Amino acid sequence: MHLFNQNSLISQKSFNARMRLILKELKHALGVDARTFMDLIQVSAMDYRQILKGTSEASIAGLHHLARSIHVNDSALYTGEIDFEAVGRQFRGDHHAVPKRYQDPMHQLSRTRGVQVLLTYFMVHRGAAFVDRILKTLQIRQEFFTDANRYISSKIVLDLFQQLTVQGIALDEMMHVGMLNIALTPTELKKTLGAIHDPRQSYLYFHEELITKFYDRMFDYRLRKISNAGTVGEVHVREEAQDIFKEKILGSKAMCNYRKGVYSSHLLHSKSKVATVLESECMYEGGHRCVYHLSW
Amino acid sequence: MLKNISEQQVRVGLGRTLKSLRTLANMSQEGFAQLLSIHQTAVSRVESGSQSILPWQLLKVSEFFEISVDQLLSGNFDFRKIAERFGTLPPLPERYRQLEYSKIREALPALHFISSTQGSPFFEKMMQGFGMHQDFIGGPDQVIGVHFNLDVLRCMIDQRIINKNSLGQMIQYSRTEPVQGFLHNLYQTQESALSLIQSWFLNAHHYESNFMYAVQKCKKNSMEVSVKPAEHMREVGYKDETLGDFICEYKKQYLSSFPQYIGCNSVEVTEEECHFHGSSQCIYSIKIA
């Protein structure tokens, strides 16, 4: 039994009104009947009728059960920040459904391969619950990332890095993750890279072909200088990806450090060496590009 | 039945979290009652888990403390940040806020052992003696000062709860998911004793950064590992009269029995060098028995 302060009724009322709408939308999106929906929010038929009338509400445990069943965070359910269509399709078995934010075909500039590295690393080092939490925030199922060669929206990659930063992953660790790319490089690519013994040629191939062909077309990777001791490379946002970066992105510095890890471990393919990488300019710190200085 | 258990778990867990938050914010029950728009007498019932709150109240708490609903339900959030926001001291004595190179995971086997063998009243009294409230011990990954685990071990030795001969009983408590957290699944997937030990060494930083763990040599049925104290350990009296070389023995026995995690037999551990007896590091030679 609860004794409510009269002044609380307005906020309680508006919350419950919003939650009624959210539940209504969800039921429609999930395409389930009333009985199934009642089971999802763990209410009886009588309680359900009262919820629809606005004279009762689902419990915290019931909403938690619903959130788990449809694979979203509880927070998203409470605020209504759910892509109902995507969640509905996922619930009905289409695990490749993604929120509208990620559906623009013009943004499909990144291959799944890079995301697989991130997910694999954090699955091992932080556990399944950590990865699950992040994917729920993005409202994407893990099955979506099965095909390494598939092109996906680059916004997924950026949002993923943002979430990793929000979850407290340090920049140093992001560099370690980048270095793991080498462990997950496809076999045929490893053979090609292993056959190139000259570091300069290896990095040339890396910039001219490898990244664009196997990882992403969001950025332009250019070699500015190359010598026996090292290279200077720069990274620009490609024209076709410019509008992705119009949004204010938190935590993308993590992507720079990830890239540093990829750069530094690249030589392991042929020379079993690790390059030293320094970043002298960064687009996430006010620069127009990222500039990396490598030496070995 | 499942539904009732789920509701009860949510109610009890949430009640504990709400009480912790109120205490961290130095808020009275009356103040909390106003936030939740309930009568003051209901606050105790909510905090004890005998009465539930409603979703809209949970959202109010979420907005007030700036913690997501998910974090409130899991109880997994940074206590320190809450205390800083409200200008109250973090729920840790100053001693355990220094040299924060350990994680709670390091001390959990000992804490679980004490709680199981000595009972809750003893455990609570011990924690009070450390100036800590047990509600403020978070998950295994919570950072804490190096002195905490050492103080727990000293207390256990002083109170004769543990000695070098009975270490094995305590170490058994380390082989559980509540203690290991996400590492539990990692260990379970290892296929051999040596790969298990190697995975532990590679993840040593998830326990503490007071010692540096390295695999020096690795063969099919044996390996050699080193354990070297970090720079900051010079300030820490971990080889005092009470502890002596207890920590060394602890590590040795932990190593030896760790393969039991995946159902393997213990391994043979020989100490080739010992930091506690003059060398710069401990070197252990490990052989599959």
Side-chain angles (χ1 to χ4, degrees), chain A residues 1-5 8 11-12 15-16 18-19 42-44 57-61 63-64 68 72-76 78-79 123-128 133, chain B residues 2-3 6-7 10 14 34 36-39 41-42 45 51-60 63 68-70 73 76 182-183 185-186 203 205-206:
Chain A
M1 188 180 164
H2 307 280
L3 299 173
F4 293 117
N5 184 326
S8 74
S11 57
Q12 179 185 9
F15 174 86
N16 288 343
R18 185 173 71 188
M19 184 53 76
Q42 296 189 332
V43 295
S44 64
E57 46 204 288
S59 67
I60 292 172
L63 292 178
H64 181 58
R68 271 176 28 205
V72 299
N73 285 325
D74 289 81
S75 306
Y78 277 61
T79 55
M123 189 72 79
V124 168
H125 288 269
R126 289 290 190 285
R133 199 158 56 236
Chain B
L2 191 62
K3 171 187 168 179
S6 174
E7 277 180 7
V10 168
L14 195 49
Q34 280 184 2
L36 295 178
S37 301
I38 56 176
H39 198 274
T41 53
R45 292 197 297 274
Q51 178 173 319
S52 55
I53 60 171
L54 293 170
W56 71 273
Q57 292 165 312
L58 185 62
L59 190 61
K60 275 189 92 171
E63 286 168 359
S68 73
V69 168
D70 297 87
L73 288 172
N76 191 7
F182 72 90
L183 290 168
N185 286 339
L186 173 67
N203 286 287
H205 58 282
H206 287 299

Side-chain angles (χ1 to χ4, degrees), chain B residues 30-273:
Chain B
E30 192 185 347
F32 207 53
Q34 280 184 2
L35 173 67
L36 295 178
S37 301
I38 56 176
H39 198 274
Q40 188 180 338
T41 53
V43 172
S44 298
R45 292 197 297 274
V46 168
E47 290 180 349
S48 67
S50 58
Q51 178 173 319
S52 55
I53 60 171
L54 293 170
W56 71 273
Q57 292 165 312
L58 185 62
L59 190 61
K60 275 189 92 171
V61 172
S62 166
E63 286 168 359
F64 182 80
F65 286 99
E66 294 177 23
I67 300 173
S68 73
V69 168
D70 297 87
Q71 286 174 305
L72 283 172
L73 288 172
S74 66
N76 191 7
F77 52 85
D78 192 335
F79 292 99
R80 209 74 58 85
K81 282 190 181 154
I82 307 294
E84 279 169 10
R85 194 177 307 135
F86 288 92
T88 55
L89 284 176
L92 281 178
E94 177 64 32
R95 179 172 170 76
Y96 304 135
R97 279 182 272 141
Q98 293 168 5
L99 299 175
E100 287 183 331
Y101 292 100
S102 290
K103 292 192 177 176
I104 288 290
R105 183 180 279 108
E106 187 193 14
L108 277 177
L111 295 176
H112 282 230
F113 179 74
I114 294 170
S115 185
S116 291
T117 58
Q118 309 299 314
S120 298
F122 179 92
F123 182 78
E124 281 172 28
K125 198 175 167 189
M126 180 191 78
M127 294 298 282
Q128 278 169 17
F130 294 149
M132 284 184 64
H133 195 287
Q134 60 178 339
D135 280 351
F136 294 136
I137 291 182
D141 289 298
Q142 182 188 330
V143 169
I144 197 162
V146 60
H147 289 292
F148 179 65
N149 188 45
L150 297 177
D151 286 351
V152 171
L153 291 175
R154 279 194 196 94
C155 176
M156 290 171 82
I157 294 169
D158 278 340
Q159 302 277 334
R160 298 180 197 276
I161 298 170
I162 199 84
N163 55 47
K164 286 183 189 175
N165 294 329
S166 59
L167 263 174
Q169 294 167 32
M170 183 179 90
I171 290 171
Q172 278 182 38
Y173 284 79
S174 67
R175 297 193 281 267
T176 64
E177 191 173 358
V179 165
Q180 299 295 352
F182 72 90
L183 290 168
H184 178 74
N185 286 339
L186 173 67
Y187 294 149
Q188 294 271 300
T189 59
Q190 299 306 313
E191 291 176 356
S192 72
L194 294 186
S195 72
L196 176 67
I197 292 173
Q198 195 162 11
S199 68
W200 172 42
F201 266 59
L202 288 172
N203 286 287
H205 58 282
H206 287 299
Y207 296 83
E208 41 92 356
S209 302
N210 304 311
F211 293 89
M212 292 174 292
Y213 298 77
V215 175
Q216 301 296 345
K217 288 177 196 168
C218 194
K219 294 180 184 173
K220 194 176 167 190
N221 293 317
S222 65
M223 65 197 290
E224 194 176 272
V225 299
S226 65
V227 180
K228 190 174 174 180
E231 279 292 314
H232 65 268
M233 290 300 275
R234 286 185 199 175
E235 305 172 40
V236 179
Y238 62 98
K239 291 189 274 185
D240 60 20
E241 205 175 291
T242 306
L243 284 173
D245 62 353
F246 188 87
I247 292 172
C248 188
E249 189 60 32
Y250 184 4
K251 289 191 194 299
K252 214 161 90 177
Q253 289 195 34
Y254 196 105
L255 258 177
S256 170
S257 66
F258 198 58
Q260 289 174 26
Y261 212 114
I262 51 171
C264 291
N265 291 331
S266 297
V267 291
E268 206 177 285
V269 178
T270 316
E271 197 166 13
E272 309 292 344
E273 279 180 44

